[in-house]
């Protein structure tokens, strides 16, 4: 099966660095289609120029967060509009395969891809560096998922991170209304619930959820430098960086 790796991404000064590191991870994976979903009105020319350099199959689409969600929330629902667009693309063009949401700043062990590729319905596995516990993982008993270990349960039925599960395309196609809400922190739970998933459907991966194969790394954000820039330099700075 082909892995459809969906990466929401947005303009900031770290973006090209993040996508370069991620692209160079994905270069090692056969049968993978990278969907880069831009949180922009139109596909960013800088990202359009970057993506062909990896020599892997990809699709670059754009769908911006509606401005109302950015202004009305202290923590906006990040990456929802663009992940939704990627799901719509899958529904339109894909008949089979496995979908995985890989944020642009996470760190992926190459072994993860072998694990998720044979996902029948939905698979789950631990994610490192999540929350105050430092890990988020399904809890197993005799090889079956019976609950979750996560530092922010928040009454979620599936308290997992976006990077902690993979879904077969078939399950997505069988649930045409399945979607992700514009509600920060609840995207995963509501999406998985909208796929009609039961605990008994979950296929544990990563050696019965005993190994960490993906990390929720975060890049330290710094404001853009405030140095005086010459006109010559300004002409090569993409305006999307100045946000
Ligand atoms: C955590 C989860 O790991 C995300 O999967 C989840 O979407 C997010 O929280 C959330 O619920 O808001 P976190 O590291 O806190 O992720 O957030 P970011 O890495 O900043 O954003 C998640 C993804 O969305 C990234 O791929 C990022 O590039 C993208 N994003 C972020 C946008 O597309 N637009 C934005 O305005 C911000
Ligand atoms: Mn992140």
């Amino acid at each position: 099966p082909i892995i459809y790796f969906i990466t929401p991404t947005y303009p900031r000064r770290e973006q090209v660095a993040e996508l370069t590191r991620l692209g160079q991870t994905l270069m090692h994976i056969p049968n993978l289609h990278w969907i880069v979903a831009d949180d922009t009105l139109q596909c960013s020319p800088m990202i359009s120029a970057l993506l062909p350099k990896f020599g892997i199959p990809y699709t670059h689409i754009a769908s911006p967060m509606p401005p109302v969600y950015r202004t009305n929330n202290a923590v906006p629902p990040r990456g929802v509009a663009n992940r939704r667009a990627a799901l719509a693309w899958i529904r339109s063009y894909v008949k089979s395969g496995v979908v995985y949401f890989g944020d642009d700043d996470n760190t992926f062990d190459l072994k993860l891809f072998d694990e998720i590729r044979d996902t029948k319905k939905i698979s789950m596995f631990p994610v490192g560096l999540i929350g105050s516990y430092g890990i988020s993982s399904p809890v197993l008993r005799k090889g079956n998922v019976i609950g979750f270990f996560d530092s922010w349960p928040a009454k979620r039925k599936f308290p997992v991170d976006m990077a902690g599960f993979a879904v077969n395309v078939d399950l997505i196609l069988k649930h045409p209304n399945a979607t992700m809400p514009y509600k920060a922190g609840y995207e995963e739970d509501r999406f998985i619930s909208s796929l009609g998933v039961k605990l008994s459907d979950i296929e544990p991966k990563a050696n019965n959820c005993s190994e960490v194969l993906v990390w929720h790394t975060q890049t330290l954000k710094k404001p853009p430098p405030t140095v005086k820039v010459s006109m010559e330099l300004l002409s090569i700075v993409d305006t999307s960086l100045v946000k």
Side-chain angles (χ1 to χ4, degrees), residues 11-40:
R12 75 256 193 225
R13 66 200 291 262
E14 299 84 3
Q15 186 179 28
V16 168
E18 306 281 27
L19 290 173
T20 296
R21 186 178 53 221
L22 177 54
Q24 291 185 354
T25 292
L26 301 182
M27 279 170 77
H28 296 281
I29 312 301
N31 293 320
L32 180 140
H33 189 99
W34 194 12
I35 304 177
V36 178
D38 232 331
D39 186 351
T40 46

Side-chain angles (χ1 to χ4, degrees), residues 207-221:
N207 195 12
N208 271 332
C209 295
S210 66
E211 293 172 12
V212 174
L213 300 176
V214 53
W215 293 266
H216 186 250
T217 41
Q218 293 183 298
T219 301
L220 185 64
K221 283 208 175 52

Side-chain angles (χ1 to χ4, degrees), residues 8 39 70 78 82-83 103-105 161-162 216 218:
D39 186 351
R70 221 179 273 280
R78 287 154 291 177
N82 33 355
R83 285 197 201 95
D103 290 354
D104 58 4
D105 55 342
D161 184 69
M162 200 62 79
H216 186 250
Q218 293 183 298

Side-chain angles (χ1 to χ4, degrees), residues 152-183:
W152 191 67
K155 296 191 172 139
R156 294 180 294 167
K157 186 174 181 203
F158 302 101
V160 300
D161 184 69
M162 200 62 79
F165 66 94
V167 177
N168 196 292
V169 168
D170 189 53
L171 190 66
I172 292 173
L173 298 181
K174 278 186 177 139
H175 293 82
N177 296 323
T179 189
M180 208 168 271
Y182 283 102
K183 191 168 160 58

